[in-house]
Amino acid sequence: MKKIKNICCLGAGYVGGPTMSVIALKCPDIKVTVVDLNADRIDAWNDDNLENLPVYEPGLAEVVEQARGKNLFFSTDVDGAIAAADMIFIAVNTPTKTYGEGKGMAADLKFVELCARQIASVATNDKIIVEKSTLPVRTAETLQTILDSNGNGVNFEVLSNPEFLAEGTAIEDLFEADRVLIGGKQTPSGQEAIQALVDVYAHWLSPSQILTTNVWSSELSKLTANAFLAQRISSINALSALCEVTEADVDEVAHAIGTDSRIGPKFLKASVGFGGSCFQKDILNLVYLCRYFNLPEVANYWEQVIIMNDHQKYRFAKNIISTLFNTVNGKKIAFLGWAFKKDTNDTRESAAIYVAEYLIEDGAEIHVYDPKVSATKVRADLSYLWELKGLTEDKITKKLAQVFVYDDPMAATHNSHAIAILTEWDEFKTYDWKSIYENMYKPAFVFDGRNILDATVMKSIGFQFKGIGKG
Ligand SMILES: NC(=O)c1ccc[n+]([C@@H]2O[C@H](COP(=O)([O-])OP(=O)(O)OC[C@H]3O[C@@H](n4cnc5c(N)ncnc54)[C@H](O)[C@@H]3O)[C@@H](O)[C@H]2O)c1
Ligand SMILES: O=c1ccn([C@@H]2O[C@H](COP(=O)(O)OP(=O)(O)O[C@H]3O[C@H](CO)[C@@H](O)[C@H](O)[C@H]3O)[C@@H](O)[C@H]2O)c(=O)[nH]1
């Protein structure tokens, strides 16, 4: 049985970085090299000051500190790392296509394909290739075809090993995974490759936490897991709208249904809408696949999860405008939070971006504070959205003049007409809301897009307070 001694990971992002750091920590007998084309990112992973790591995750800096330089390395030498490895993880980005066939729906596999081509051209000995990126079902077939065209007699075994970590809890999720999933070919060499990867995870997980399946089930399970999780959020968010007009309380409803053990309590938190780099992208990809395989009813069913999520973001923004006497033109709206959830610096597809865009369109000034997101990032997020919509550089610059970013929440909220809570950062609950109230225009509005503040307390201070799904 092959024993893995040298692992390489292509992609040092939110998945490659934390996942490989944990593998290195838990498997001191394996050398792990994480490579990336982005030299700045690699420099940041190698920074002596652990506060400068490119990914913020609770517990990550401690893991990197223990393993880096011992058996964990970050490098831009992609060819060297590929050549030396017996097992190669592909953890590169697979965003929604922004061009051509499948634009706006299909996963863009160009980065994955480039990895396969590079591995094929560099490899001189047999290797196990592990799909860590989230991929459409049957991608392993494409990878195998590209790899096998290498023509120099190297044998490649392709495994699917999707990642289920959530940002903000990545280290916890990796240390104590509900399960890891490994899909491989049902051939002797396929089974041997599966076992080699099982042995890596067995350094710290029990056999009952390691599931093995065929490749296609593994690839499809990843998209399915995200579709089910996102569907729960869209379901409770859909009902939050009904709660608001019937005086039911969405948190009470969620608790009442979540105590049914068949439903369960998790992922029933009504919000301004889900964000993050995965849910929307993966469901769009699923919808695209269903249409591709001529299953329109199935495609339409899952697409509704996205439609409802877009509606929730829009509904939140529209509610701010209508409550502020039908216009936010020239008004200062403070945003507490820009990240797509707490405990991460990631802003991809954050609801904040879309709510801001809608309010800016109505003439609002947006004053943002997020404990982990920089001004550059906030501006880049909005610019990227407007570029995709085809706005000219001039127009973008004009709109960006309506955006202000602070590193102090008091400054962001000072003299504002309304505060919108976009991310559920714990620190927001500890603020001196009385003095924030005193420094705002009256009536002072708070729109709690995460239902983290106590409505009774906020109203007793004097705020006009609106939560999600509250009558
Ligand atoms: N972010 C998450 O929480 C999460 C969780 C589970 C699965 N996933 C999936 O994992 C994959 C990676 O996601 P991410 O969030 O880490 O993306 P990311 O954008 O943070 O990182 C991807 C990295 O790959 C690098 N890269 C691209 N092409 C490369 C190449 N040819 N060689 C070397 N490096 C290359 C990029 O420069 C980038 O740094 C995606 O498919 C995503 O759907 C993400
Ligand atoms: O009850 C809930 C739970 C989550 N959210 C929002 O949903 C989004 C996604 O949250 P979460 O799933 O916790 O974070 P991600 O990092 O996007 O993780 C998801 O996407 C990853 C990438 O595929 C998967 O690996 C994870 O298993 C899956 O949870 C965030 O905006 C959350 O605020 C809610 O609004 N209500």
Side-chain angles (χ1 to χ4, degrees), residues 65-130:
E65 189 175 28
Q66 290 177 69
R68 198 176 58 185
K70 289 186 189 138
N71 66 328
L72 173 66
F73 302 91
F74 295 93
S75 163
T76 49
D77 179 12
V78 180
D79 284 356
I82 291 175
D86 358 80
M87 178 176 273
I88 301 173
F89 285 78
I90 300 179
V92 300
N93 34 329
T94 51
T96 304
K97 269 185 97 175
T98 53
Y99 57 90
E101 178 62 33
K103 177 180 173 179
M105 298 294 290
D108 191 342
L109 299 183
K110 73 177 173 209
F111 304 107
V112 172
E113 188 181 330
L114 278 173
C115 289
R117 289 186 188 281
Q118 194 157 4
I119 295 168
S121 74
V122 171
T124 52
N125 60 342
D126 294 354
K127 296 186 193 296
I128 297 171
I129 310 302
V130 184

Side-chain angles (χ1 to χ4, degrees), residues 394-410:
D394 256 17
K395 273 218 158 126
I396 294 178
T397 311
K398 250 194 185 156
K399 281 180 180 270
L400 282 178
Q402 290 168 244
V403 181
F404 306 82
V405 186
Y406 301 79
D407 49 20
D408 168 25
M410 297 307 144

Side-chain angles (χ1 to χ4, degrees), residues 225-246:
N226 275 354
F228 269 62
L229 290 168
Q231 182 200 43
R232 281 174 72 95
I233 304 169
S234 275
S235 297
I236 199 72
N237 279 345
L239 289 160
S240 74
L242 186 57
C243 288
E244 284 165 27
V245 290
T246 56

Side-chain angles (χ1 to χ4, degrees), residues 10-16 35-38 41 78 91-94 111 114-115 118 132-135 163-167 222 277-278 281-282 346 348:
L10 306 180
Y14 283 87
V15 167
V35 293
D36 204 292
L37 302 176
N38 181 337
R41 220 167 200 189
V78 180
V92 300
N93 34 329
T94 51
F111 304 107
L114 278 173
C115 289
Q118 194 157 4
K132 184 52 103 179
S133 297
T134 302
L135 298 167
E163 184 48 60
F164 294 104
L165 68 79
E167 289 179 28
K222 174 64 196 177
S277 63
C278 295
K281 154 179 92 72
D282 293 347
D346 197 346
R348 288 176 287 181

